[in-house]
């Protein structure tokens, strides 16, 4: 919510005080330069790559070898996985039956989203982007849904809210994730608090069900889907970040480790030591079903721990 007593103003290009269009690589982006923070948001993928409060560093991890090309997923920041998450074959049958490709993480990740609204104030900036998943995507997905993604930036932190509305006549099953990359100076000195005693699927152990014992630590490749939507705190040697989710009962924790890092595109071989992903999700058994006209919002607030 706005911290000022007056609501932010909805402005059109040319009237914006803190936002400018920019071309980065081959992609269009909105650059936010507010007295209290900076941010960079790409139209392709509705992809946030930068959030920097005043006198701070980027709260998001970005690969130094990321490429900004049409149709290519950007490595780092917060990719939007929608309307399916991960490997299509690993989704529930109701989700899987709509997917017509073997590509992971959904069509929203590389589609070009539409700018819907910009609101600015002395304390915050709010930007909304939309994606109409209609017959234009029939080659990869069967359905009709509207995704509206609102970003709110303030000195308190960064909030994303992704609202899906089923525009079709039949029930719509989907999975999704806000695939947040976070930086760390040392992955082995990093831990996640708030997942103790949570059940999780360990995808590296043939999707075996396990129970978390205490904080999550990292020692090599990690790829888990936790049955938990509670607030989490990510503690690194230099920072502490709190992630508060809405509309989520699953959290994905991922780090590629040294061997998988060698196989990833746009990812330096040693980069696994300086990043981790904590993803607010509707994944595995937490997939959602919307009747015609119904909506669901998945969101996360990233703040200081």
């Amino acid at each position: 919510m706005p911290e000022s007593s007056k609501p932010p103003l909805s402005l059109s290009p040319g009237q914006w005080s803190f936002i400018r269009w920019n071309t980065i690589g081959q992609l269009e982006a909105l650059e936010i330069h507010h007295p209290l923070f900076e941010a960079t948001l790409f139209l392709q993928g509705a992809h946030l790559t930068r959030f920097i409060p005043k006198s701070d560093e980027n709260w998001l991890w970005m690969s130094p070898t990321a490429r900004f090309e049409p149709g290519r997923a950007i490595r780092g920041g917060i990719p939007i996985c929608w309307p399916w998450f991960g490997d299509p074959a690993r989704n529930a049958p109701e989700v899987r039956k709509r997917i017509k490709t073997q590509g992971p993480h959904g069509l929203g990740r590389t589609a070009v989203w539409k700018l819907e609204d910009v609101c600015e104030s002395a304390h915050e900036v709010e930007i909304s982007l939309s994606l109409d998943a209609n017959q234009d995507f029939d080659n990869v997905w069967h359905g009709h849904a509207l995704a509206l993604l609102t970003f709110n930036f303030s000195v308190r932190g960064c909030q994303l809210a992704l609202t899906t509305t089923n525009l079709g006549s039949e029930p719509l099953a989907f999975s999704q994730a806000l695939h947040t990359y976070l930086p760390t100076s040392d992955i082995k000195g990093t831990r996640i608090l708030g997942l103790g005693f949570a059940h999780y699927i360990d995808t590296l152990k043939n999707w075996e069900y396990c129970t978390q014992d205490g904080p999550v630590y990292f020692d090599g490749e990690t790829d888990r889907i936790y049955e938990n939507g509670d607030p989490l705190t990510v503690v690194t040697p230099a920072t502490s970040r709190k992630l508060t989710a809405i509309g989520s009962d699953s959290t994905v924790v991922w780090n590629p480790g040294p061997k998988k890092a060698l196989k990833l595109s746009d990812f330096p071989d040693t980069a696994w030591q300086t990043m981790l992903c904590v993803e607010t999700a509707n994944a595995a058994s937490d997939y959602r079903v919307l009747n015609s006209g119904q909506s669901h919002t998945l969101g996360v607030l990233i703040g200081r721990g």
Side-chain angles (χ1 to χ4, degrees), residues 7-10 21 27 35 50 58 70 77 80 92 97-98 107 146 193 208 223 226 247-248 256 265 268 290-292:
L9 299 176
S10 181
W21 287 106
L27 302 179
R50 199 169 62 106
N58 192 0
I80 306 302
K97 72 180 182 180
R98 293 186 173 274
L107 59 90
L146 179 69
L193 310 178
E208 176 184 336
D223 192 353
Y226 284 86
S248 167
S265 61
L290 298 174
N291 290 323
S292 179

Side-chain angles (χ1 to χ4, degrees), residues 47-250:
H47 197 134
L48 182 67
T49 59
R50 199 169 62 106
F51 175 68
I52 306 177
K54 185 178 180 180
S55 303
D56 207 338
E57 297 182 353
N58 192 0
W59 282 20
L60 305 174
W61 181 86
M62 278 298 298
S63 171
T65 58
R67 288 189 274 178
F68 305 98
E69 302 172 358
R72 187 182 191 90
I74 300 170
R75 178 70 70 182
I78 307 182
I80 306 302
C81 303
W82 181 92
W84 69 89
F85 169 77
D87 181 352
R90 286 294 187 175
N91 276 265
E94 295 93 330
V95 178
R96 188 168 63 242
K97 72 180 182 180
R98 293 186 173 274
I99 306 171
K100 302 179 180 180
T101 175
Q102 296 181 357
H105 293 322
L107 59 90
R109 198 177 185 190
T110 54
V112 177
W113 294 54
K114 176 186 175 184
L115 177 62
E116 288 288 349
D117 197 20
V118 171
C119 296
E120 298 182 314
S121 76
H123 298 280
E124 68 178 12
V125 169
E126 188 169 279
I127 299 174
S128 296
L129 303 177
S130 69
L131 179 63
D132 186 356
N134 53 28
Q135 64 273 13
D136 292 343
F137 297 93
D138 275 351
N139 61 322
V140 293
W141 185 71
H142 172 66
H144 189 193
L146 179 69
L148 179 67
L149 181 55
T150 299
F151 298 82
N152 183 279
F153 307 107
S154 73
V155 70
R156 296 182 301 115
C158 167
Q159 185 169 22
L160 284 71
L162 174 59
T163 298
T164 300
T165 302
N166 179 10
L167 300 180
S169 58
E170 300 176 350
L172 174 70
F174 66 104
S175 59
Q176 58 185 340
L178 307 173
H179 195 308
T180 306
Y181 284 78
L182 298 170
T184 177
S185 57
D186 179 10
I187 189 61
K188 293 187 176 180
T190 297
R191 64 190 186 277
I192 303 174
L193 310 178
L195 291 172
F197 305 110
H199 300 298
Y200 67 89
I201 299 170
D202 193 331
T203 70
L204 304 179
K205 296 181 179 179
N206 198 30
W207 289 66
E208 176 184 336
Y209 267 90
C210 306
T211 301
Q212 181 64 38
D213 182 14
V216 178
Y217 292 94
F218 297 85
D219 184 17
E221 185 178 358
T222 304
D223 192 353
R224 302 171 181 174
I225 304 173
Y226 284 86
E227 295 178 345
N228 185 293
D230 295 336
L232 306 177
T233 302
V234 179
V235 182
T236 76
T239 64
S240 179
R241 299 278 178 259
K242 186 174 182 179
L243 278 67
T244 305
I246 61 169
S248 167
D249 291 314
S250 54

